């Protein structure tokens, strides 16, 4: 009996059945098997019913039909927001709200979603409605209010349209007569106040910047108190002070983590969509995806800091340069301990780049322990199997935190002392979303919106949102001297780095002392290699300089993963278990 029960429990709870078409909409039909265990009743103490021994236990299954909207026209999708069955398809509303900007503007959705206000009644005239019609009207109205509440709470930036914020004004007008005293109306008013306050703050900062630029150059003292502000490039001579590597390893890694937390928490998931991010290099798209661009800028800034500190002093002896390599390896190790995979990837990308990789004398002067640490850290971001190693490690970090959350949170109390992070390497998610957008069509036969594509995108966006919430557990304080050193660290371009590297060590026939780790490229170049709609050939972007030829011809060629193979790997990963998406009322 136990062996048979074990086999039954291994059956899939949800099995694909087929498709159905109804009123021009296509539904995916599945069969859900729900197991309910029934026990033979027995007589317990006092005449009460008690379960019988395990030998009398039997299993009972109930099969139900589950439908999920796969493709439909826009009007039907919006109607599904209000009249859809949340129990059968709980992921429809969050998937639509998170991905709608890829195929329809927010104003268009509101025009279809918000009902017109009732006409005003003449003075002293009252219209009595039948109970059934009034109940139906209130039910639909409550559904619209519920959708708006989820939208305002989870995607507030969709309504940011300065200076008028017209979309938010339409919602405030609707809630003013539909639910004037509800939490949704209060949320809309709070959101509008926040937008106006941000506009005032931006205006003050702009005025302060203009007055700052009007001061003499000698009177301009850098302001390193903001973690994000330290990333702004400053022209002119560098400020005198300690260099970045003059500070302790722990402090530098903590400040890098602080900046990554702040930038990753500000990322708008909708900007990560492939249809949005793939347009970043088109003419006139300078302002596209600003929060994602800020993360990319931070990544490349850290890479530039490593290159500048290692190559910025050509007169150093190999042993002295090896000390700098060792310190950056220790900083990378501490970033790993802080679960900061973004700066960890940036540091490793710089150390594995051609200008630093080819310095065989410097690598040869490195002791065995840091070199072993460097190799172990590099295995995290191995290119094999679509970066399977880094994906598995990130999933393990999330699972570890989830189990500790359950253990650390007693019943009825808030969790405390949860492990912070992890901070992911955003490039992995961006690559997956671009591949999905390239491989799956936006429209299906019959001019229907392919909503199945949006569901797959939502699975990735939901994971980004959950990681953003977990990053709020970090408790780090800014250190102005380190932030100032990060800001003033000498940056080298790719061409400058390679030229200085050749001056430090002239080209040789081979690189026997360099660590045998595959080279990495910057986040911007890696993402530019993804296929785009109406894009240039793979890896070729106008205005992008070609990288210098490799200096180690004996190394094995870098493996190339075809787009189809990468897509299949991404889809297989999406089929695996994912953390549950946030629930909606």
């Amino acid at each position: 009996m136990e062996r048979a029960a074990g086999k039954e429990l291994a059956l899939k709870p949800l099995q694909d059945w087929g498709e159905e078409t109804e009123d021009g909409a296509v539904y995916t039909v599945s069969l859900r098997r729900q197991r309910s265990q029934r026990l033979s009743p027995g007589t317990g103490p006092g005449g009460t019913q008690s379960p019988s021994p395990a030998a009398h236990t039997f299993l009972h299954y109930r099969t139900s039909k589950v439908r999920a909207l796969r493709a439909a026209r826009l009007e039907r999708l919006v109607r599904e927001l209000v009249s859809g069955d949340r129990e059968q398809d709980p992921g429809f509303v969050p998937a639509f709200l998170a991905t709608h900007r890829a195929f329809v503007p927010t104003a268009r959705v509101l025009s279809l979603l918000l009902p017109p206000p009732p006409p005003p009644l003449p003075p002293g005239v009252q219209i009595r409605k039948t109970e059934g019609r009034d109940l139906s009207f209130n039910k639909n109205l409550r559904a619209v209010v519920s959708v708006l509440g989820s939208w305002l709470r989870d995607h507030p930036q969709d309504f940011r349209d300065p200076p008028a914020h017209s979309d938010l004004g339409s919602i405030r007008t609707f809630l003013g007569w539909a639910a004037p005293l509800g939490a949704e109306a209060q949320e809309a008013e709070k959101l509008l106040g926040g937008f106006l306050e941000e506009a005032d703050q931006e205006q003050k900062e702009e005025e302060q910047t203009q007055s700052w630029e009007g001061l003499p150059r000698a009177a301009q003292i850098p302001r390193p108190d903001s973690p994000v502000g330290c990333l702004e490039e400053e022209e002119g001579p560098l400020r005198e002070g300690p260099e970045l590597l003059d500070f302790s390893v722990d402090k530098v890694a903590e400040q890098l983590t602080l900046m990554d937390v702040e930038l990753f928490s500000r990322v708008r998931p909708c900007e990560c969509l492939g249809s949005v991010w793939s347009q970043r290099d088109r003419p006139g798209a300078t302002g596209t995806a600003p929060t994602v661009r800020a993360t990319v800028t931070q990544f490349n800034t850290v890479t530039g800091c490593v290159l500048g500190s290692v190559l910025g002093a050509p007169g150093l002896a190999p042993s002295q340069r090896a000390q700098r390599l060792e310190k950056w390896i220790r900083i990378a190790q501490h970033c790993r301990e802080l679960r900061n995979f973004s700066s960890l990837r940036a540091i490793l990308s710089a150390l594995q780049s051609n200008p630093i990789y080819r310095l065989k004398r410097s690598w040869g002067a490195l002791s065995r322990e840091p070199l072993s640490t460097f190799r172990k850290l590099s295995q995290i971001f191995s290119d094999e199997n679509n970066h399977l190693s880094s994906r598995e490690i990130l999933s393990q970090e999330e699972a570890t935190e989830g189990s500790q959350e359950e253990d650390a949170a007693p019943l009825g109390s808030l969790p405390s002392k949860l492990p912070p992070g992890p901070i992911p390497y955003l490039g992995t998610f961006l690559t997956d979303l671009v591949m999905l957008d390239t491989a799956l069509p936006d429209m299906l036969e019959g001019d229907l919106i392919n909503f199945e594509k949006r569901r797959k995108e939502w699975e990735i966006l939901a994971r980004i949102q959950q990681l953003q919430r977990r990053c709020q557990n970090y408790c780090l304080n800014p250190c102005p001297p380190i932030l100032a050193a990060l800001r003033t660290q000498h940056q080298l371009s790719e061409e400058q780095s390679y030229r200085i590297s050749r001056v430090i060590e002239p080209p040789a026939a081979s690189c026997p002392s360099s660590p045998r780790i595959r080279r990495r490229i910057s986040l911007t170049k890696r993402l530019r290699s993804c296929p785009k709609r109406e894009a240039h050939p793979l890896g070729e972007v106008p205005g992008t300089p070609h990288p210098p030829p490799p200096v180690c011809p004996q190394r094995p060629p870098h493996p190339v993963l075809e787009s189809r193979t990468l897509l299949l790997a991404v889809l297989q990963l999406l089929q695996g278990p994912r953390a549950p998406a946030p629930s909606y009322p």
Side-chain angles (χ1 to χ4, degrees), residues 7 22 35 45 50 73 111 134 167 205 212 225 228 234 250 259-260 305 314-315 325 374 381 407 415 513 519-520 533:
K7 292 182 180 180
E22 179 182 312
R35 183 179 62 87
S50 63
R73 295 182 180 271
S111 65
D134 186 59
D167 293 339
E205 291 180 357
W212 183 268
D225 53 337
V228 179
E234 181 181 6
D250 297 350
M259 289 185 287
D260 289 334
C305 287
L325 292 175
F374 174 66
F381 299 104
D407 298 338
S513 300
R519 297 188 304 273
R520 299 296 190 268
R533 298 177 180 177

Side-chain angles (χ1 to χ4, degrees), residues 7 17 23 43-44 50 91 115-117 128 133 135 145 183 236 253 282 322 354 373 472 475 479 512 582:
K7 292 182 180 180
W17 180 258
D23 296 336
T43 304
S50 63
R128 296 186 59 184
R133 291 182 59 186
L135 180 62
V145 171
R282 290 196 173 187
N354 230 346
T373 302
Q472 297 176 1
C475 296
C479 181

Side-chain angles (χ1 to χ4, degrees), residues 385-386 561 564-574:
N385 296 327
N386 190 22
L561 193 61
R564 179 178 179 84
T565 305
L566 179 57
L567 174 64
L568 293 176
V570 171
L571 295 178
Q572 290 177 359
L573 290 172
L574 292 177

